[in-house]
Amino acid sequence: MRQYELVERVKTYDPDADEALINRAYVFSMQAHGSQKRASGDPYFSHPIEVAGILTDLHLDDETIATAILHDTIEDTVATQEQIEKIFGTSVARMVDGVTKLSKIEAQTENERAAENLRKFLLAMSDDIRVLLVKLADRLHNMRTLHHIPNPDKRRRIARETMEIYAPLAERIGMYEFMKEMQTLAFQQLEPDAYESIVKRLEQLKAGGGDQIARIGSGIRMLLGRAGIPAEVSGREKHPYSIWRKMAERHISFEQLSDIMAFRVIVADTAECYRALGIIHQKWPMVPGRFKDYISTPKRNGYRSLHTAVIHSEKMRIEIQLRSAEMHAEAEHGLAAHWAYKSRGAKPDHQVSWIRDLVEILDHADTPEEVLEHTRMAMYQDRIFAFTPTGELIQLPKGATAVDFAYAVHTDVGDQTVGAKINGRVVPLRTQIQNGDQVQILRSKAQEPEPNWLNFVTTGKAKAAIRRFVRHKEREESIALGRKFYDEIVGRVPARLGPDACAAAIKRLNLADTDALMEAIATRRLSDAQVMEALMPGSGGDEAIARPAQREPISIRGLTPGVAFALAACCSPVPGDRIVGLRNPGSAVEVHTIDCPALADGVDADWVDLSWGDGSDGAAARLQVIIKNEVGALGVMAGIFGAQRANIVNLTLVHRDGSFHTFHITVEVHDLHHLMRILAALRAADAVSYAERLSSPSR
Ligand code: MN
């Protein structure tokens, strides 16, 4: 096709088209492709021009035509994205970039689900429907010229990709002519013998019977006319691929198949549809199992028609669809209905409304801008698509992280996740996946889900799996801890208690089993007194043998309510200190100050981020105080604690020489501020030469 021809074609349907833009693209592409040749021996340049030509049949706008002309320049020539943007503007440059990206994606698997995902991915990547149209036209032209490629394996690969990815995509956006031609060309390549024999059989039928379609069609019209039902009848021959698919699906031969023609009968109203159906079924026996009443039960997208197949003659079955003029208008207008009807085995779903919108817009939009505005792939905008290292596509909601990806692959993969690589680089697990990312999950059998993953995962599957695991683990810990407390309680009673007493207690407390008892003890749903009473009815949970309660005013954030904790003795944290928890299986969570030296020994335990609960007040702080060896010094020190209203719980003289006495003192304080005031007051006193917190017993 020549430059002026292309421009002429566009001008016929869009007189305002930017002629200069198309001309510039033509010259640029011709120069860029230079002397490159196609497999056919034609100049390479002929290909983008033919692709543009295909798109003029669809009456596409000047920018799309320019994009088609330029679509292979970035990939196959020295031309750059920047050049194209400078010469043709951002809109064309963006579309060319889009087509280039789509061209890089190849089907890596013959798995059906993977193909479906790949189709969705292509839709999602073409955020402008025009990009997809250019890609489909590109593929169609490549299929038309496929026979020039000498390597049969390559031909088959391209044909299979067309069959699995591009033909269904064309179908999905309502381009049936594209779809049929792609399928026919791909089928010819993939099943050459079957293709040949079907084409030959169709020709023989035609040669033998003249124009059967016209004859049968007018036969139906006359039959209905005699019954007083005016009808419009049209017929078509099914295309070779759809005939072959039927043969393959039903495991039958061409002769057995025999329904290779389909007729559409359009009558005035619903009542006449049923009358016409009755007349047709009286004349020709129906084929069992083929009758569908989509009038009384329309398809979910609203499609209405009666479908039947009848035995027209001994060797000839025909398919007939009956509908009213109104139903026909709906079916034709809403491509959605059309799509659902043609798409084999596909269930109409919410995608359909999107396609209906798309078609309406393409039909009625006044300006290319309007088309562009409305045809963004809205339906896939909240989805992202990412690859596993083996090329499997995983669909996720926008905002999903590496952990969500891992759980989407498999629950076991999620549970064992220790790290992730995105596009080959190690990233934090909370990293959000982007469209087209390749994600590799690093796993370890020793790994377990982390509770803090719940702070960033977005998919329900990941959340549920992590929660389930955390609950399970917490229960295990509670049970182990409860057992310890239970042994303590039992150790405090004078009588010896065996397993029978325990079993009886469980019954009295109306609990399911030993684990439930231990859990209730650990989480303090049962007090020691209640346990005692259950073990030895009548003991009344003797106060003397009850365990001293944990200090109530202290609470810790970051732990599941009810999980036991203990302020570590080594650093004696007080409210206001920055704290972390160490979780060791079977014991209370140890709370340490963030700079406690003992943490170095806790590397095997789980670290838990903690903070003090609101209103936490009162903890024992440990101090080292050195006072001068002089009369009244001890009194001064004691006076300071008294003035600060801090109760001394323990006081030990650890060292004494001629000049100084060193004490370790445990004192109850409200919080860190209180402790700081006490230390400041001590240091200010003449009698005190040193005052500091003790962070570990060894210091
Ligand atoms: Mn191309």
Side-chain angles (χ1 to χ4, degrees):
M1 194 186 314
R2 311 297 300 238
Q3 187 170 355
Y4 71 89
E5 279 179 82
L6 191 61
V7 173
E8 284 294 297
R9 280 217 211 175
V10 178
K11 285 278 182 184
T12 57
Y13 60 84
D14 181 10
D16 299 333
D18 186 346
E19 207 173 314
L21 177 77
I22 296 170
N23 284 329
R24 271 203 308 279
Y26 194 98
V27 173
F28 183 92
S29 179
M30 188 163 61
Q31 286 173 351
H33 286 293
S35 58
Q36 289 174 347
K37 290 266 191 294
R38 296 272 288 176
S40 59
D42 290 338
Y44 192 93
F45 176 60
S46 64
H47 162 67
I49 299 306
E50 289 299 328
V51 173
I54 291 171
L55 292 170
T56 59
D57 293 341
L58 300 174
H59 293 196
L60 283 163
D61 66 295
D62 44 18
E63 285 185 342
T64 312
I65 301 303
T67 301
I69 300 171
L70 298 167
H71 82 268
D72 276 331
T73 54
I74 294 184
E75 181 83 343
D76 296 339
T77 79
V78 294
T80 65
Q81 176 79 15
E82 291 71 33
Q83 269 179 318
I84 288 178
E85 179 155 0
K86 219 170 128 195
I87 304 174
F88 303 98
T90 33
S91 181
V92 170
R94 213 187 49 229
M95 286 200 279
V96 172
D97 181 50
V99 181
T100 306
K101 277 190 182 129
L102 291 193
S103 302
K104 285 181 180 156
I105 295 157
E106 284 182 8
Q108 301 192 9
T109 161
E110 292 171 40
N111 168 319
E112 220 179 271
R113 191 171 72 89
E116 171 62 19
N117 271 341
L118 198 53
R119 291 194 290 270
K120 286 183 183 165
F121 178 65
L122 289 169
L123 279 173
M125 290 295 279
S126 358
D127 61 345
D128 184 330
I129 183 75
R130 296 178 298 174
V131 169
L132 189 61
L133 295 177
V134 173
K135 183 62 207 166
L136 290 173
D138 174 40
R139 177 54 62 128
L140 181 59
H141 184 250
N142 284 336
M143 287 304 295
R144 285 179 185 169
T145 53
L146 187 64
H147 56 278
H148 291 299
I149 291 178
N151 179 344
D153 288 342
K154 189 174 176 190
R155 285 202 305 266
R156 291 181 59 80
R157 183 183 63 74
I158 294 171
R160 196 180 315 112
E161 203 178 78
T162 301
M163 196 64 110
E164 288 172 358
I165 310 295
Y166 293 97
L169 264 183
E171 180 180 26
R172 189 163 298 187
I173 62 169
M175 304 179 65
Y176 299 117
E177 295 311 314
F178 271 39
M179 176 200 77
K180 274 187 216 161
E181 192 177 347
M182 283 180 180
Q183 282 178 341
T184 303
L185 292 164
F187 174 50
Q188 196 174 352
Q189 198 58 239
L190 294 170
E191 304 285 346
D193 296 341
Y195 176 82
E196 283 305 321
S197 75
I198 288 171
V199 169
K200 214 152 111 200
R201 295 287 297 128
L202 286 173
E203 274 164 9
Q204 283 169 0
L205 277 175
K206 259 186 209 148
D211 193 351
Q212 280 190 311
I213 290 180
R215 260 195 299 120
I216 296 174
S218 65
I220 296 172
R221 190 167 40 246
M222 272 157 32
L223 176 72
L224 295 176
R226 279 199 296 276
I229 304 172
E232 194 185 303
V233 180
S234 58
R236 65 184 170 87
E237 195 173 69
K238 293 173 183 176
H239 67 289
Y241 176 64
S242 89
I243 291 174
W244 179 80
R245 204 162 59 186
K246 279 230 167 81
M247 288 165 60
E249 268 170 19
R250 297 193 206 145
H251 305 285
I252 51 180
S253 68
F254 188 91
E255 280 71 21
Q256 288 171 296
L257 180 73
S258 73
D259 57 339
I260 53 167
M261 280 177 265
F263 294 86
R264 184 173 292 152
V265 176
I266 299 171
V267 294
D269 55 29
T270 305
E272 293 206 336
C273 288
Y274 288 105
R275 279 184 61 209
L277 177 77
I279 290 161
I280 288 167
H281 279 183
Q282 278 175 48
K283 171 81 177 170
W284 299 293
M286 68 177 269
V287 179
R290 298 282 298 278
F291 173 66
K292 297 266 160 48
D293 184 347
Y294 293 122
I295 293 178
S296 70
T297 313
K299 288 194 180 183
R300 265 165 59 191
N301 61 5
Y303 173 84
R304 292 179 301 160
S305 271
L306 299 176
H307 288 192
T308 190
V310 298
I311 301 166
H312 187 267
S313 66
E314 197 185 329
K315 285 197 167 178
M316 180 85 65
R317 295 166 179 206
I318 57 175
E319 225 174 68
I320 300 174
Q321 298 158 9
L322 299 116
R323 54 176 78 147
S324 70
E326 187 193 342
M327 294 171 200
H328 182 62
E330 272 175 22
E332 291 294 290
H333 176 69
L335 190 83
H338 206 46
W339 171 76
Y341 152 56
K342 299 272 186 167
S343 178
R344 174 180 61 102
K347 301 215 171 28
D349 58 19
H350 61 289
Q351 292 173 20
V352 168
S353 64
W354 165 75
I355 293 160
R356 184 187 287 130
D357 290 346
L358 172 64
V359 170
E360 276 203 21
I361 290 155
L362 288 176
D363 283 346
H364 304 295
D366 291 329
T367 66
E369 286 72 33
E370 201 181 327
V371 176
L372 183 62
E373 181 62 32
H374 291 93
T375 54
R376 303 264 174 206
M377 297 288 176
M379 127 121 229
Y380 290 114
Q381 278 188 348
D382 57 344
R383 310 295 294 170
I384 47 172
F385 297 84
F387 298 92
T388 66
T390 55
E392 192 190 346
L393 256 159
I394 303 291
Q395 231 193 102
L396 295 161
K398 210 161 236 176
T401 62
V403 172
D404 292 297
F405 181 92
Y407 277 103
V409 173
H410 196 279
T411 305
D412 289 348
V413 176
D415 284 349
Q416 296 174 3
T417 298
V418 288
K421 280 183 176 179
I422 294 182
N423 303 326
R425 287 179 46 205
V426 174
V427 297
L429 286 174
R430 62 187 326 131
T431 307
Q432 294 190 354
I433 311 285
Q434 305 298 320
N435 237 339
D437 278 348
Q438 193 217 55
V439 184
Q440 182 185 359
I441 297 298
L442 310 173
R443 301 165 66 181
S444 159
K445 284 238 158 65
Q447 176 66 4
E448 289 171 345
E450 298 277 353
N452 72 32
W453 291 352
L454 287 171
N455 297 331
F456 57 79
V457 296
T458 60
T459 54
K461 187 175 181 192
K463 278 183 188 160
I466 298 165
R467 284 207 191 102
R468 196 182 321 122
F469 185 85
V470 169
R471 268 199 305 274
H472 171 75
K473 194 173 159 103
E474 279 174 359
R475 185 171 143 82
E476 274 188 346
E477 282 177 15
S478 293
I479 290 167
L481 185 61
R483 195 155 275 139
K484 264 187 154 181
F485 290 155
Y486 175 83
D487 290 345
E488 265 176 50
I489 296 167
V490 170
R492 274 180 271 146
V493 301
R496 280 178 53 105
L497 295 176
D500 291 350
C502 182
I506 289 166
K507 223 172 174 180
R508 277 185 205 109
L509 291 165
N510 202 17
L511 292 168
D513 53 18
T514 318
D515 283 352
L517 173 65
M518 300 311 166
E519 202 185 358
I521 295 173
T523 57
R524 298 176 188 281
R525 282 201 307 276
L526 282 177
S527 69
D528 292 5
Q530 285 170 302
V531 179
M532 293 293 308
E533 175 64 28
L535 283 167
M536 294 195 311
S539 72
D542 193 342
E543 276 305 312
I545 49 178
R547 178 158 48 104
Q550 192 156 5
R551 290 189 64 93
E552 282 307 319
I554 293 275
S555 67
I556 300 283
R557 236 176 295 171
L559 292 173
T560 310
V563 165
F565 63 88
L567 301 179
C570 46
C571 50
S572 303
V574 300
D577 277 328
R578 288 183 57 211
I579 48 175
V580 291
L582 286 188
R583 198 203 310 257
N584 287 296
S587 60
V589 171
E590 281 176 37
V591 181
H592 293 262
T593 62
I594 195 101
D595 50 4
C596 176
L599 290 179
D601 306 327
V603 285
D604 290 339
D606 283 346
W607 286 46
V608 193
D609 280 333
L610 298 179
S611 59
W612 299 92
D614 291 334
S616 284
D617 181 288
R622 299 196 327 121
L623 310 178
Q624 172 164 287
V625 182
I626 303 173
I627 60 172
K628 292 173 181 162
N629 182 10
E630 60 184 35
V631 175
L634 187 59
V636 169
M637 181 181 78
I640 289 169
F641 286 112
Q644 295 292 336
R645 313 194 76 67
N647 183 34
I648 294 172
V649 187
N650 195 317
L651 181 144
T652 318
L653 180 61
V654 293
H655 185 74
R656 174 167 58 175
D657 62 25
S659 315
F660 299 102
H661 293 175
T662 302
F663 291 95
H664 283 178
I665 301 166
T666 304
V667 61
E668 281 179 345
V669 298
H670 294 294
D671 55 18
L672 189 60
H673 284 298
H674 189 205
L675 176 59
M676 288 306 171
R677 278 204 312 275
I678 296 167
L679 286 171
L682 288 168
R683 288 167 193 151
D686 224 17
V688 177
S689 74
Y690 174 91
E692 194 50 81
R693 284 178 83 173
L694 261 178
S695 57
S696 82
S698 57
R699 268 202 207 162

